Amino acid sequence: MSDHHYSKQLISLHTQADNWRDQLVHTLREKSPTKSLGDDLPSLEPYHKQWFDMMTSEENLTNNHATIQKWAKQIVDFFINHRISSQTLFALLRAYRETFQHLFETHVSIEDLTVRDAFTIVHHLSTRTELLVEQVSAHYISFQVHALELTRKEMHALSIPLVPVWENIAVLPIIGDLDDERSQHLHSQTLERATELNLSYIVIDLSGINSINTWFAQHLSNLINALKLIGITVTLSGMRPELSQTIVRLGIKFKDATTYLTLEQALYSIRPFAEK
């Protein structure tokens, strides 16, 4: 197929934009995506037009690549901002492809294209469609990774609550085991928050942890030392018998912190300082 004839076929396809959109709307109303799209369907009209324009553009793939990337990001943002599922987004893309395929079959019949000519155009359209789906997937995955990272950070923050109980005294309950990342977060956030609250005493409650090991104890010891350096006295509570036995067996020492079996006992021991 000559470049002139090839361009002529794309132009001929492009003139069918209105027919394609009408058929697309019909397809969408017949299938499930509209159940999720609801009132947002009219807002998607510009995306329908842009998709069709990209498929029938005479630009080569290199020049068209930036346009496809931009469109993919915009439609992913639309679905995310309107809280529409990725399943519905990809169902919409399938509807685009199926509707266009129907239009192209009609075009081949009317134009009486040879198999070779039809194959050339199909290859052109398939390449763009694959690139577009690839870009949509990449943008959606990027959003999900970013959202998961934010959720992880929020969970870390929630899992390290420094709870004020009196004017200069707070409790730091540790829930679950500490990995390296969470330990670093615990260290920095506790020091920052303790300074903001102008604390003199902190009770670190260990009743929410399942086990203790040398690595865990080292991080905890570092935190106690850091708090001591900024003038904060640390008391440990939640020293259950099994934890105490493990600590002795491992040779772990918290020489700068008094330990108590329960949180109540620890608070009772330092309450007189809060009443001064």
Side-chain angles (χ1 to χ4, degrees):
M1 179 185 288
S2 67
D3 290 343
H4 174 72
H5 187 48
Y6 178 69
S7 297
K8 180 181 177 182
Q9 295 302 326
L10 290 178
I11 292 171
S12 179
L13 270 172
H14 196 271
T15 61
Q16 300 297 314
D18 290 339
N19 292 337
W20 179 80
R21 288 200 299 273
D22 289 343
Q23 181 61 41
L24 175 66
V25 171
H26 175 73
T27 301
L28 291 174
R29 296 195 186 283
E30 290 288 323
K31 297 191 175 184
S32 59
T34 53
K35 295 177 182 178
S36 300
L37 293 174
D39 295 335
D40 295 315
L41 190 55
S43 302
L44 284 166
E45 175 63 27
Y47 296 103
H48 305 337
K49 181 180 185 304
Q50 291 162 11
W51 188 91
F52 188 89
D53 289 344
M54 287 186 294
M55 291 302 103
T56 58
S57 171
E58 293 182 76
E59 289 184 316
N60 61 44
L61 189 60
T62 301
N63 294 334
N64 203 224
H65 194 286
T67 303
I68 290 175
Q69 281 187 314
K70 181 179 179 181
W71 183 90
K73 183 178 186 307
Q74 288 176 341
I75 197 166
V76 168
D77 288 345
F78 178 92
F79 272 70
I80 290 170
N81 292 335
H82 288 74
R83 300 182 181 277
I84 307 173
S85 71
S86 58
Q87 181 181 3
T88 302
L89 171 57
F90 286 99
L92 178 66
L93 295 182
R94 285 196 299 273
Y96 282 173
R97 187 182 65 247
E98 290 170 8
T99 305
F100 194 91
Q101 180 178 338
H102 176 76
L103 177 70
F104 183 69
E105 288 173 355
T106 303
H107 174 77
V108 170
S109 176
I110 293 175
E111 295 291 325
D112 195 22
L113 296 181
T114 65
V115 172
R116 182 174 181 177
D117 288 350
F119 180 81
T120 300
I121 296 177
V122 166
H123 176 71
H124 163 92
L125 299 174
S126 296
T127 302
R128 295 189 180 197
T129 300
E130 289 172 6
L131 176 60
L132 191 144
V133 173
E134 176 186 303
Q135 289 299 314
V136 168
S137 299
H139 284 295
Y140 215 100
I141 290 171
S142 177
F143 165 77
Q144 293 291 354
V145 169
H146 180 66
L148 286 172
E149 178 66 13
L150 289 178
T151 300
R152 184 186 58 78
K153 290 180 179 179
E154 289 173 0
M155 289 179 66
H156 278 326
L158 290 173
S159 66
I160 307 173
L162 193 57
V163 184
V165 290
W166 293 301
E167 183 178 353
N168 62 342
I169 299 174
V171 175
L172 175 63
I174 298 180
I175 311 297
D177 299 329
L178 294 179
D179 56 22
D180 189 57
E181 185 177 9
R182 190 177 174 217
S183 296
Q184 292 177 10
H185 188 74
L186 171 70
H187 195 284
S188 61
Q189 289 296 104
T190 300
L191 292 176
E192 181 179 334
R193 185 67 174 145
T195 303
E196 290 176 359
L197 295 173
N198 194 28
L199 297 178
S200 299
Y201 300 88
I202 288 180
V203 179
I204 300 179
D205 185 57
L206 304 177
S207 59
I209 67 172
N210 299 318
S211 61
I212 192 167
N213 54 35
T214 305
W215 185 87
F216 180 102
Q218 185 59 54
H219 280 278
L220 188 57
S221 179
N222 290 342
L223 176 60
I224 293 171
N225 292 335
L227 290 169
K228 182 182 177 182
L229 287 175
I230 60 174
I232 296 175
T233 301
V234 177
T235 300
L236 297 176
S237 68
M239 277 296 181
R240 305 187 306 278
E242 58 270 28
L243 284 182
S244 300
Q245 290 172 9
T246 302
I247 288 171
V248 171
R249 187 173 67 253
L250 294 174
I252 300 168
K253 295 180 180 180
F254 298 115
K255 59 182 180 180
D256 294 318
T258 307
T259 62
Y260 291 90
L261 177 62
T262 68
L263 177 59
E264 182 181 11
Q265 291 172 347
L267 290 174
Y268 183 80
S269 72
I270 60 177
R271 182 167 185 174
F273 300 103
E275 295 174 345
K276 289 182 178 181

